[in-house]
Amino acid sequence: MKKLFGLVVVLFLLAGFSTGCYYDNEETLYPSGVCDTVDVRYSNQVNYIISNKCYDCHSNATAPLSGSDVSFEGYANISGYLSAGSGDVNFTHSIDHSVGYTPMPKDQPKLSSCEIGTLIKWVNNGYPDN
Ligand code: HEC
């Protein structure tokens, strides 16, 4: 009986770990409202936020039509934008709605404070391709 109990515990742990690595929505990305701005990665949170909240106007396909020809699709485009001129400052100030900058996402609700914190942290880290 003890052995069976142990097996059940192990199975639960395995199930927890395997689903813990699969991010497909905001709830699994930030379980129970915990916002991880420590381990910020392009391949994880950043690309997820940008593609969900910015591609409507800033993907390769939509940028010429509705994003002022600015595409953030893929690492090369977004890092190219951030490193040119004051791109990084424009970017962080537009998403936190600083006075004097065009608020983004345009005509849509402001990003959550977790999303803003995550993106700003990544930019301040030097926007690594991680
Ligand atoms: C509904 C369309 C739309 C969405 C969604 C959107 N943008 Fe924009 N964005 C624009 C337009 C249009 C401009 C050009 C400036 C203007 O007309 O306000 C722009 C300009 C910008 C600029 C300044 C570009 C420059 O250097 O001139 C930044 C930075 C930016 N957007 C970031 C974002 C980010 C980050 C997101 C997602 C969180 C986002 N935008 C979502 C339409 C959008």
Side-chain angles (χ1 to χ4, degrees), residues 40-54:
V40 173
R41 291 169 194 274
Y42 175 74
S43 59
N44 186 0
Q45 306 98 314
V46 173
N47 189 34
Y48 176 85
I49 298 167
I50 299 291
S51 54
N52 278 289
K53 301 291 170 78
C54 315

Side-chain angles (χ1 to χ4, degrees), residues 2 47 65:
K2 259 189 184 167
N47 189 34
L65 306 165

Side-chain angles (χ1 to χ4, degrees), residues 92-116:
T92 52
H93 285 6
S94 70
I95 58 170
D96 70 9
H97 292 193
S98 294
V99 176
Y101 294 83
T102 317
M104 290 290 148
K106 193 176 172 73
D107 303 329
Q108 288 178 18
K110 192 177 179 178
L111 299 179
S112 71
S113 56
C114 182
E115 291 168 325
I116 295 170

Side-chain angles (χ1 to χ4, degrees), residues 50 53-54 56-58 66-68 70 72 81 87 90-91 94-95 102 104-106 108 111 119:
I50 299 291
K53 301 291 170 78
C54 315
D56 273 0
C57 308
H58 295 290
S66 48
S68 186
V70 176
F72 296 134
Y81 176 83
N90 284 344
F91 186 90
S94 70
I95 58 170
T102 317
M104 290 290 148
K106 193 176 172 73
Q108 288 178 18
L111 299 179
L119 293 179

